[in-house]
Amino acid sequence: MAARKTIAVVGATGAQGSGLVRAILSDPQGGFAARALTRDVNSAKAKKLAQLGAEVVAADVDDLESLKRAFQGAYGAFCVTFFWAHFSPERELANATNMAQAAKHAAIQHVIWSTLEDTRKWVPLSDNRMPTLMGKYKVPHLDAKGEADQVFANLGLPVTFLLTSFYWDNYIHFGMGPKKGPDGKLTITMPMGDKKLPGIAAEDIGRCAYGIFKRSREFIGKTVGIAGEHLTGAQMAASLTKALGQEVRYNDVPPEVYRGFGFPGAEDLGNMFQFKRDFNEYFCGARNLEAARALNPALLTFDAWLAQNKACIPLG
Ligand SMILES: NC(=O)c1ccc[n+]([C@@H]2O[C@H](COP(=O)([O-])OP(=O)(O)OC[C@H]3O[C@@H](n4cnc5c(N)ncnc54)[C@H](OP(=O)(O)O)[C@@H]3O)[C@@H](O)[C@H]2O)c1
């Protein structure tokens, strides 16, 4: 049997990376092996991945030398940054630069960079439809990822740029689930008007990434956008109503109201939703559902995701 190609997976204990590790391990005949990168090889999540058959190695995206060691001898690398762990776009750019340099050093043959749009290409800082944040960003947690695309490209890496979508899992883990209003009715609140939000089960991001590694030659140098479905707020509320067995309403608020909600990241997310609303044709067009399903035939719709996860959604 030919030697299996090792994929080094950054964020392997997290949402995107763990989906990729599980996708690799659940296909033992696929020709790939999973190397899970974590800061703590002794954590319960890391041990679980080892039990499933992953090679678990220590690495920190703040530490270039640790990444060089962790990427050594691998065929592929899945690279992702962790904005919500520190809220710093500069740190994301520095972390992406470390991963790109480590991939170059290890002569990685296929890099997937989990990226998003640099919204400043659509909304320059001079455009006052949304406020400039942190001095030089419109949507900090998107812009630095998009800016980092050039870092991978400039190093001449064999890279695929993976444009991800809003995780439906945000309804479970990110405080975005249905909330009870003053009238006691559950609502989801997003400043999306009647526009469609591309969404995806977080697990499917890793499965799509695996599909890209399997078809490497086709995707090196390309940008691939993925989503499970494009749905309006009203459609998402209707699905939630059906799944939860109680009415969930869609509360469309102006972006400036959302930006004023005051929770950490509210301004960033308000600008993000406004970008997705105002450039909706582009944003949905860049995330083709058929292409995602071709990479990952198990791709979930929102209703299918809800059937599996509705019991985990906290109803505030
Ligand atoms: N939520 C959404 O809808 C959405 C949509 C698209 C894109 N994104 C982006 O997804 C990114 C996060 O990915 P995710 O959701 O897969 O992350 P996640 O579930 O929060 O997991 C992050 C994992 O990364 C590891 N990690 C954190 N800091 C690290 C460091 N300094 N060095 C090495 N590993 C580190 C942690 O593992 P250990 O503790 O084991 O080291 C953790 O398990 C964010 O940048 C976000 O903007 C989010």
Short mmCIF file of all heavy atoms in Angstrom, two decimals, residues 10-18 37-41 43 45-46 59-63 67 78 80-86 91-92 95 114-116 141-142 145 163-170 174 176 200 202 205 272 276, ligand 1:
data_model
loop_
_atom_site.label_atom_id
_atom_site.label_comp_id
_atom_site.label_asym_id
_atom_site.label_seq_id
_atom_site.Cartn_x
_atom_site.Cartn_y
_atom_site.Cartn_z
N VAL A 10 -4.28 22.54 11.77
CA VAL A 10 -4.28 23.56 12.82
C VAL A 10 -5.70 23.66 13.37
O VAL A 10 -6.68 23.47 12.64
CB VAL A 10 -3.80 24.92 12.25
CG1 VAL A 10 -3.90 26.02 13.30
CG2 VAL A 10 -2.38 24.81 11.71
N GLY A 11 -5.80 23.95 14.67
CA GLY A 11 -7.14 24.07 15.29
C GLY A 11 -7.86 22.74 15.33
O GLY A 11 -9.09 22.68 15.27
N ALA A 12 -7.10 21.65 15.48
CA ALA A 12 -7.67 20.30 15.35
C ALA A 12 -8.67 19.96 16.44
O ALA A 12 -9.50 19.08 16.26
CB ALA A 12 -6.54 19.27 15.34
N THR A 13 -8.61 20.66 17.58
CA THR A 13 -9.60 20.39 18.62
C THR A 13 -10.79 21.34 18.49
O THR A 13 -11.72 21.29 19.31
CB THR A 13 -8.98 20.56 20.03
OG1 THR A 13 -8.47 21.89 20.12
CG2 THR A 13 -7.87 19.57 20.28
N GLY A 14 -10.75 22.22 17.48
CA GLY A 14 -11.82 23.21 17.31
C GLY A 14 -12.82 22.81 16.24
O GLY A 14 -12.80 21.68 15.72
N ALA A 15 -13.70 23.75 15.92
CA ALA A 15 -14.84 23.45 15.04
C ALA A 15 -14.40 23.04 13.63
O ALA A 15 -14.79 21.98 13.13
CB ALA A 15 -15.76 24.67 14.98
N GLN A 16 -13.59 23.86 13.00
CA GLN A 16 -13.21 23.57 11.62
C GLN A 16 -12.25 22.39 11.54
O GLN A 16 -12.44 21.44 10.79
CB GLN A 16 -12.57 24.81 10.97
CG GLN A 16 -13.51 26.00 10.89
CD GLN A 16 -12.95 27.12 10.02
OE1 GLN A 16 -12.16 26.91 9.11
NE2 GLN A 16 -13.40 28.34 10.28
N GLY A 17 -11.18 22.48 12.35
CA GLY A 17 -10.13 21.48 12.28
C GLY A 17 -10.60 20.09 12.68
O GLY A 17 -10.23 19.09 12.06
N SER A 18 -11.44 20.01 13.71
CA SER A 18 -11.85 18.67 14.17
C SER A 18 -12.70 17.98 13.11
O SER A 18 -12.65 16.76 12.96
CB SER A 18 -12.59 18.75 15.51
OG SER A 18 -13.85 19.34 15.35
N LEU A 37 -2.88 19.30 15.39
CA LEU A 37 -2.07 20.26 16.14
C LEU A 37 -2.90 20.84 17.27
O LEU A 37 -4.06 21.23 17.08
CB LEU A 37 -1.60 21.40 15.21
CG LEU A 37 -0.33 21.15 14.39
CD1 LEU A 37 -0.47 19.92 13.50
CD2 LEU A 37 0.03 22.37 13.55
N THR A 38 -2.30 20.91 18.45
CA THR A 38 -2.98 21.46 19.62
C THR A 38 -1.93 22.06 20.54
O THR A 38 -0.76 21.66 20.51
CB THR A 38 -3.75 20.35 20.38
OG1 THR A 38 -4.24 20.89 21.62
CG2 THR A 38 -2.87 19.15 20.71
N ARG A 39 -2.36 23.02 21.37
CA ARG A 39 -1.40 23.56 22.34
C ARG A 39 -1.25 22.63 23.52
O ARG A 39 -0.28 22.72 24.25
CB ARG A 39 -1.88 24.94 22.83
CG ARG A 39 -1.81 26.01 21.76
CD ARG A 39 -2.62 27.22 22.15
NE ARG A 39 -4.01 26.85 22.37
CZ ARG A 39 -4.94 27.65 22.87
NH1 ARG A 39 -4.62 28.89 23.19
NH2 ARG A 39 -6.18 27.23 23.03
N ASP A 40 -2.20 21.73 23.70
CA ASP A 40 -2.17 20.85 24.88
C ASP A 40 -2.48 19.42 24.46
O ASP A 40 -3.65 19.04 24.33
CB ASP A 40 -3.18 21.35 25.92
CG ASP A 40 -3.22 20.47 27.16
OD1 ASP A 40 -2.39 19.53 27.26
OD2 ASP A 40 -4.07 20.73 28.03
N VAL A 41 -1.42 18.63 24.29
CA VAL A 41 -1.63 17.25 23.82
C VAL A 41 -2.33 16.39 24.87
O VAL A 41 -2.77 15.29 24.57
CB VAL A 41 -0.29 16.59 23.39
CG1 VAL A 41 0.34 17.32 22.22
CG2 VAL A 41 0.68 16.50 24.57
N SER A 43 -5.05 17.44 26.68
CA SER A 43 -6.45 17.81 26.93
C SER A 43 -7.36 16.65 26.55
O SER A 43 -6.98 15.76 25.77
CB SER A 43 -6.82 19.05 26.12
OG SER A 43 -6.95 18.70 24.75
N LYS A 45 -9.93 16.72 24.65
CA LYS A 45 -10.23 16.73 23.20
C LYS A 45 -9.08 16.16 22.40
O LYS A 45 -9.28 15.43 21.43
CB LYS A 45 -10.52 18.16 22.74
CG LYS A 45 -11.89 18.66 23.14
CD LYS A 45 -12.11 20.08 22.63
CE LYS A 45 -13.51 20.56 22.99
NZ LYS A 45 -13.70 21.97 22.64
N ALA A 46 -7.83 16.50 22.80
CA ALA A 46 -6.66 15.99 22.09
C ALA A 46 -6.57 14.48 22.25
O ALA A 46 -6.29 13.74 21.28
CB ALA A 46 -5.40 16.67 22.61
N ALA A 59 1.67 22.41 19.03
CA ALA A 59 2.04 23.60 18.24
C ALA A 59 1.17 24.75 18.68
O ALA A 59 0.05 24.56 19.14
CB ALA A 59 1.86 23.34 16.75
N ASP A 60 1.72 25.95 18.52
CA ASP A 60 0.99 27.17 18.85
C ASP A 60 1.18 28.13 17.68
O ASP A 60 2.32 28.34 17.24
CB ASP A 60 1.59 27.76 20.15
CG ASP A 60 0.76 28.91 20.71
OD1 ASP A 60 0.27 29.74 19.91
OD2 ASP A 60 0.60 28.97 21.94
N VAL A 61 0.09 28.69 17.18
CA VAL A 61 0.23 29.56 15.99
C VAL A 61 0.97 30.85 16.30
O VAL A 61 1.38 31.57 15.39
CB VAL A 61 -1.14 29.86 15.32
CG1 VAL A 61 -1.74 28.59 14.73
CG2 VAL A 61 -2.11 30.55 16.27
N ASP A 62 1.19 31.15 17.59
CA ASP A 62 2.01 32.31 17.95
C ASP A 62 3.50 31.97 17.89
O ASP A 62 4.34 32.86 18.05
CB ASP A 62 1.68 32.77 19.39
CG ASP A 62 0.32 33.43 19.47
OD1 ASP A 62 -0.01 34.23 18.57
OD2 ASP A 62 -0.43 33.14 20.42
N ASP A 63 3.83 30.70 17.69
CA ASP A 63 5.21 30.23 17.81
C ASP A 63 5.64 29.56 16.50
O ASP A 63 5.33 28.39 16.24
CB ASP A 63 5.27 29.25 19.00
CG ASP A 63 6.64 28.61 19.17
OD1 ASP A 63 7.54 28.84 18.34
OD2 ASP A 63 6.78 27.85 20.14
N LEU A 67 5.41 25.52 14.80
CA LEU A 67 4.67 25.19 13.57
C LEU A 67 5.59 24.50 12.56
O LEU A 67 5.18 23.55 11.88
CB LEU A 67 4.08 26.46 12.93
CG LEU A 67 2.88 27.08 13.64
CD1 LEU A 67 2.58 28.47 13.07
CD2 LEU A 67 1.64 26.19 13.52
N PHE A 78 -3.76 22.36 6.89
CA PHE A 78 -5.00 23.13 6.99
C PHE A 78 -4.73 24.26 7.98
O PHE A 78 -4.39 24.00 9.14
CB PHE A 78 -6.15 22.26 7.47
CG PHE A 78 -7.44 23.01 7.65
CD1 PHE A 78 -8.24 23.32 6.55
CD2 PHE A 78 -7.86 23.43 8.91
CE1 PHE A 78 -9.43 24.03 6.70
CE2 PHE A 78 -9.05 24.14 9.07
CZ PHE A 78 -9.84 24.44 7.96
N VAL A 80 -5.87 27.83 9.94
CA VAL A 80 -7.00 28.65 10.39
C VAL A 80 -6.52 29.50 11.55
O VAL A 80 -5.58 29.13 12.26
CB VAL A 80 -8.20 27.73 10.79
CG1 VAL A 80 -7.83 26.73 11.88
CG2 VAL A 80 -9.44 28.53 11.22
N THR A 81 -7.14 30.67 11.74
CA THR A 81 -6.78 31.56 12.85
C THR A 81 -7.96 31.67 13.82
O THR A 81 -9.07 31.25 13.49
CB THR A 81 -6.40 32.96 12.32
OG1 THR A 81 -7.36 33.35 11.33
CG2 THR A 81 -5.01 32.95 11.71
N PHE A 82 -7.73 32.30 14.97
CA PHE A 82 -8.72 32.22 16.06
C PHE A 82 -9.08 33.61 16.56
O PHE A 82 -8.73 33.98 17.68
CB PHE A 82 -8.15 31.35 17.19
CG PHE A 82 -7.60 30.06 16.65
CD1 PHE A 82 -6.23 29.86 16.57
CD2 PHE A 82 -8.46 29.09 16.16
CE1 PHE A 82 -5.73 28.69 16.03
CE2 PHE A 82 -7.96 27.92 15.62
CZ PHE A 82 -6.59 27.72 15.54
N PHE A 83 -9.74 34.38 15.71
CA PHE A 83 -10.03 35.78 16.06
C PHE A 83 -10.71 35.92 17.41
O PHE A 83 -10.35 36.77 18.22
CB PHE A 83 -10.91 36.43 14.98
CG PHE A 83 -11.22 37.86 15.27
CD1 PHE A 83 -10.34 38.87 14.90
CD2 PHE A 83 -12.37 38.23 15.98
CE1 PHE A 83 -10.60 40.19 15.21
CE2 PHE A 83 -12.64 39.56 16.29
CZ PHE A 83 -11.75 40.54 15.91
N TRP A 84 -11.71 35.06 17.66
CA TRP A 84 -12.53 35.27 18.86
C TRP A 84 -11.80 34.89 20.14
O TRP A 84 -12.30 35.16 21.24
CB TRP A 84 -13.87 34.54 18.72
CG TRP A 84 -14.60 35.02 17.51
CD1 TRP A 84 -14.78 34.35 16.33
CD2 TRP A 84 -15.19 36.32 17.31
NE1 TRP A 84 -15.45 35.13 15.42
CE2 TRP A 84 -15.72 36.35 15.99
CE3 TRP A 84 -15.33 37.47 18.10
CZ2 TRP A 84 -16.37 37.47 15.46
CZ3 TRP A 84 -15.97 38.58 17.57
CH2 TRP A 84 -16.48 38.57 16.28
N ALA A 85 -10.60 34.30 20.01
CA ALA A 85 -9.80 34.00 21.20
C ALA A 85 -9.08 35.26 21.70
O ALA A 85 -8.65 35.30 22.85
CB ALA A 85 -8.80 32.90 20.91
N HIS A 86 -8.90 36.27 20.81
CA HIS A 86 -8.10 37.44 21.22
C HIS A 86 -8.61 38.76 20.65
O HIS A 86 -8.12 39.82 21.02
CB HIS A 86 -6.64 37.24 20.80
CG HIS A 86 -6.49 36.74 19.39
ND1 HIS A 86 -6.85 37.51 18.30
CD2 HIS A 86 -6.05 35.56 18.88
CE1 HIS A 86 -6.63 36.82 17.20
NE2 HIS A 86 -6.15 35.62 17.51
N ARG A 91 -3.01 40.18 15.22
CA ARG A 91 -2.50 38.87 15.67
C ARG A 91 -2.90 37.78 14.67
O ARG A 91 -2.13 36.86 14.40
CB ARG A 91 -3.04 38.56 17.07
CG ARG A 91 -2.41 37.35 17.68
CD ARG A 91 -2.54 37.38 19.18
NE ARG A 91 -2.37 36.06 19.76
CZ ARG A 91 -2.70 35.74 21.01
NH1 ARG A 91 -3.20 36.67 21.82
NH2 ARG A 91 -2.52 34.52 21.47
N GLU A 92 -4.11 37.90 14.10
CA GLU A 92 -4.51 36.94 13.07
C GLU A 92 -3.54 36.97 11.89
O GLU A 92 -3.12 35.93 11.37
CB GLU A 92 -5.91 37.28 12.53
CG GLU A 92 -7.04 36.71 13.33
CD GLU A 92 -8.31 36.66 12.51
OE1 GLU A 92 -8.81 37.74 12.14
OE2 GLU A 92 -8.80 35.55 12.22
N ASN A 95 -0.31 35.39 12.91
CA ASN A 95 -0.46 33.93 13.00
C ASN A 95 -0.52 33.30 11.61
O ASN A 95 0.08 32.24 11.36
CB ASN A 95 -1.73 33.57 13.78
CG ASN A 95 -1.65 33.89 15.27
OD1 ASN A 95 -2.67 33.96 15.95
ND2 ASN A 95 -0.46 34.11 15.80
N SER A 114 -8.03 28.84 5.53
CA SER A 114 -9.44 29.13 5.83
C SER A 114 -9.60 30.64 5.98
O SER A 114 -9.22 31.21 6.99
CB SER A 114 -9.84 28.41 7.13
OG SER A 114 -11.16 28.74 7.45
N THR A 115 -10.17 31.25 4.97
CA THR A 115 -10.14 32.71 4.89
C THR A 115 -11.55 33.28 4.79
O THR A 115 -12.55 32.55 4.80
CB THR A 115 -9.26 33.13 3.69
OG1 THR A 115 -9.05 34.54 3.73
CG2 THR A 115 -9.89 32.74 2.37
N LEU A 116 -11.61 34.59 4.72
CA LEU A 116 -12.87 35.31 4.48
C LEU A 116 -12.49 36.57 3.69
O LEU A 116 -11.31 36.86 3.49
CB LEU A 116 -13.55 35.66 5.81
CG LEU A 116 -14.22 34.45 6.52
CD1 LEU A 116 -14.56 34.79 7.98
CD2 LEU A 116 -15.47 33.99 5.78
N HIS A 141 -12.73 40.94 11.90
CA HIS A 141 -12.49 39.48 11.89
C HIS A 141 -12.58 38.88 10.50
O HIS A 141 -12.27 37.70 10.33
CB HIS A 141 -13.40 38.76 12.89
CG HIS A 141 -14.80 38.50 12.43
ND1 HIS A 141 -15.77 39.47 12.40
CD2 HIS A 141 -15.39 37.37 11.98
CE1 HIS A 141 -16.91 38.94 11.97
NE2 HIS A 141 -16.70 37.67 11.70
N LEU A 142 -12.97 39.66 9.52
CA LEU A 142 -12.90 39.21 8.13
C LEU A 142 -11.68 39.80 7.44
O LEU A 142 -10.95 39.10 6.71
CB LEU A 142 -14.16 39.61 7.34
CG LEU A 142 -15.35 38.64 7.35
CD1 LEU A 142 -15.89 38.40 8.74
CD2 LEU A 142 -16.45 39.15 6.42
N LYS A 145 -8.15 38.27 7.69
CA LYS A 145 -8.04 36.97 7.02
C LYS A 145 -7.84 37.19 5.52
O LYS A 145 -6.97 36.58 4.90
CB LYS A 145 -9.30 36.13 7.26
CG LYS A 145 -9.48 35.63 8.69
CD LYS A 145 -10.74 34.79 8.80
CE LYS A 145 -10.98 34.23 10.20
NZ LYS A 145 -11.37 35.25 11.20
N LEU A 163 -13.20 29.92 1.37
CA LEU A 163 -14.11 30.94 1.93
C LEU A 163 -15.22 30.22 2.70
O LEU A 163 -16.01 29.49 2.09
CB LEU A 163 -14.76 31.75 0.81
CG LEU A 163 -13.89 32.77 0.06
CD1 LEU A 163 -14.68 33.34 -1.12
CD2 LEU A 163 -13.46 33.90 0.99
N THR A 164 -15.24 30.40 4.00
CA THR A 164 -16.21 29.68 4.83
C THR A 164 -17.49 30.53 4.98
O THR A 164 -17.58 31.64 4.46
CB THR A 164 -15.61 29.37 6.21
OG1 THR A 164 -15.27 30.60 6.84
CG2 THR A 164 -14.38 28.50 6.07
N SER A 165 -18.44 30.00 5.72
CA SER A 165 -19.73 30.67 5.94
C SER A 165 -20.07 30.66 7.43
O SER A 165 -19.46 29.92 8.21
CB SER A 165 -20.84 29.95 5.17
OG SER A 165 -20.68 30.17 3.78
N PHE A 166 -21.08 31.44 7.76
CA PHE A 166 -21.65 31.50 9.12
C PHE A 166 -21.99 30.09 9.60
O PHE A 166 -22.70 29.35 8.93
CB PHE A 166 -22.92 32.34 9.03
CG PHE A 166 -23.72 32.49 10.28
CD1 PHE A 166 -23.48 33.55 11.15
CD2 PHE A 166 -24.76 31.61 10.58
CE1 PHE A 166 -24.23 33.70 12.30
CE2 PHE A 166 -25.52 31.76 11.73
CZ PHE A 166 -25.25 32.81 12.59
N TYR A 167 -21.45 29.72 10.79
CA TYR A 167 -21.77 28.38 11.32
C TYR A 167 -23.18 28.42 11.92
O TYR A 167 -23.45 29.26 12.80
CB TYR A 167 -20.88 27.94 12.48
CG TYR A 167 -19.40 28.02 12.40
CD1 TYR A 167 -18.66 27.84 13.57
CD2 TYR A 167 -18.72 28.25 11.22
CE1 TYR A 167 -17.28 27.89 13.57
CE2 TYR A 167 -17.33 28.30 11.21
CZ TYR A 167 -16.62 28.13 12.39
OH TYR A 167 -15.26 28.19 12.41
N TRP A 168 -24.00 27.46 11.58
CA TRP A 168 -25.28 27.33 12.30
C TRP A 168 -25.03 26.98 13.76
O TRP A 168 -25.84 27.30 14.63
CB TRP A 168 -26.16 26.25 11.62
CG TRP A 168 -26.57 26.67 10.24
CD1 TRP A 168 -26.96 27.92 9.85
CD2 TRP A 168 -26.64 25.85 9.07
NE1 TRP A 168 -27.27 27.93 8.51
CE2 TRP A 168 -27.08 26.67 8.00
CE3 TRP A 168 -26.37 24.51 8.81
CZ2 TRP A 168 -27.25 26.19 6.71
CZ3 TRP A 168 -26.54 24.03 7.52
CH2 TRP A 168 -26.98 24.86 6.49
N ASP A 169 -23.86 26.39 14.04
CA ASP A 169 -23.47 26.06 15.42
C ASP A 169 -23.39 27.33 16.29
O ASP A 169 -23.33 27.21 17.51
CB ASP A 169 -22.11 25.35 15.43
CG ASP A 169 -22.11 24.16 14.48
OD1 ASP A 169 -22.20 24.41 13.25
OD2 ASP A 169 -22.05 23.03 14.93
N ASN A 170 -23.36 28.52 15.67
CA ASN A 170 -23.39 29.74 16.48
C ASN A 170 -24.66 29.81 17.33
O ASN A 170 -24.68 30.50 18.34
CB ASN A 170 -23.34 30.99 15.59
CG ASN A 170 -22.00 31.15 14.89
OD1 ASN A 170 -20.99 30.65 15.37
ND2 ASN A 170 -21.99 31.82 13.75
N PHE A 174 -22.31 30.33 20.38
CA PHE A 174 -21.81 31.70 20.19
C PHE A 174 -22.82 32.73 20.70
O PHE A 174 -22.72 33.91 20.40
CB PHE A 174 -21.52 31.91 18.70
CG PHE A 174 -20.46 32.93 18.39
CD1 PHE A 174 -19.15 32.76 18.80
CD2 PHE A 174 -20.78 34.08 17.67
CE1 PHE A 174 -18.18 33.71 18.51
CE2 PHE A 174 -19.81 35.03 17.36
CZ PHE A 174 -18.51 34.85 17.78
N MET A 176 -25.85 33.17 19.83
CA MET A 176 -26.71 33.77 18.80
C MET A 176 -28.07 33.08 18.70
O MET A 176 -28.87 33.38 17.82
CB MET A 176 -26.03 33.71 17.44
CG MET A 176 -24.95 34.74 17.28
SD MET A 176 -24.39 34.78 15.58
CE MET A 176 -23.30 36.18 15.62
N ILE A 200 -23.63 27.17 7.28
CA ILE A 200 -23.08 25.81 7.12
C ILE A 200 -22.96 25.15 8.50
O ILE A 200 -22.79 25.87 9.50
CB ILE A 200 -21.70 25.85 6.41
CG1 ILE A 200 -21.26 24.47 5.93
CG2 ILE A 200 -20.63 26.48 7.32
CD1 ILE A 200 -20.13 24.51 4.89
N ALA A 202 -20.70 23.55 11.05
CA ALA A 202 -19.25 23.70 11.19
C ALA A 202 -18.52 22.42 10.77
O ALA A 202 -17.48 22.46 10.11
CB ALA A 202 -18.90 24.07 12.63
N ILE A 205 -17.37 22.11 7.18
CA ILE A 205 -16.21 22.85 6.66
C ILE A 205 -15.03 21.88 6.53
O ILE A 205 -14.37 21.83 5.50
CB ILE A 205 -15.87 24.05 7.58
CG1 ILE A 205 -17.05 25.04 7.57
CG2 ILE A 205 -14.57 24.72 7.13
CD1 ILE A 205 -16.86 26.23 8.51
N MET A 272 -20.28 43.10 9.80
CA MET A 272 -20.23 41.85 9.01
C MET A 272 -21.59 41.57 8.37
O MET A 272 -21.69 41.32 7.16
CB MET A 272 -19.84 40.67 9.90
CG MET A 272 -19.90 39.34 9.17
SD MET A 272 -19.89 37.89 10.26
CE MET A 272 -21.61 37.82 10.79
N LYS A 276 -22.67 41.49 4.37
CA LYS A 276 -23.32 40.34 3.73
C LYS A 276 -24.67 40.76 3.13
O LYS A 276 -25.10 40.21 2.11
CB LYS A 276 -23.51 39.20 4.74
CG LYS A 276 -22.19 38.58 5.20
CD LYS A 276 -22.40 37.46 6.21
CE LYS A 276 -21.05 36.92 6.69
NZ LYS A 276 -21.18 35.76 7.58
N1 LIG B 1 -18.39 31.23 14.02
C1 LIG B 1 -18.58 31.38 12.72
O1 LIG B 1 -19.70 31.45 12.21
C2 LIG B 1 -17.39 31.43 11.81
C3 LIG B 1 -17.62 31.38 10.44
C4 LIG B 1 -16.54 31.44 9.57
C5 LIG B 1 -15.25 31.58 10.09
N2 LIG B 1 -15.07 31.64 11.43
C6 LIG B 1 -13.70 31.80 11.94
O2 LIG B 1 -13.26 30.57 12.45
C7 LIG B 1 -12.09 30.84 13.21
C8 LIG B 1 -11.99 29.89 14.37
O3 LIG B 1 -12.04 28.56 13.94
P1 LIG B 1 -12.84 27.47 14.77
O4 LIG B 1 -14.27 27.92 14.91
O5 LIG B 1 -12.58 26.16 14.14
O6 LIG B 1 -12.15 27.60 16.18
P2 LIG B 1 -12.59 27.03 17.60
O7 LIG B 1 -13.66 26.01 17.50
O8 LIG B 1 -12.79 28.21 18.47
O9 LIG B 1 -11.32 26.22 18.04
C9 LIG B 1 -10.13 26.76 18.09
C10 LIG B 1 -9.13 25.66 18.45
O10 LIG B 1 -7.89 26.21 18.09
C11 LIG B 1 -6.96 26.02 19.05
N3 LIG B 1 -6.18 27.24 19.31
C12 LIG B 1 -6.60 28.40 19.88
N4 LIG B 1 -5.55 29.24 19.98
C13 LIG B 1 -4.48 28.60 19.43
C14 LIG B 1 -3.13 28.93 19.26
N5 LIG B 1 -2.63 30.10 19.68
N6 LIG B 1 -2.31 28.05 18.64
C15 LIG B 1 -2.78 26.85 18.25
N7 LIG B 1 -4.06 26.46 18.41
C16 LIG B 1 -4.88 27.33 19.01
C17 LIG B 1 -7.67 25.54 20.29
O11 LIG B 1 -7.15 24.26 20.51
P3 LIG B 1 -6.16 23.86 21.73
O12 LIG B 1 -6.73 24.49 22.95
O13 LIG B 1 -6.28 22.36 21.70
O14 LIG B 1 -4.80 24.36 21.33
C18 LIG B 1 -9.14 25.40 19.89
O15 LIG B 1 -9.69 24.12 20.11
C19 LIG B 1 -12.20 32.29 13.68
O16 LIG B 1 -11.11 33.04 13.20
C20 LIG B 1 -13.52 32.77 13.08
O17 LIG B 1 -13.47 34.11 12.64
C21 LIG B 1 -16.10 31.55 12.31
#
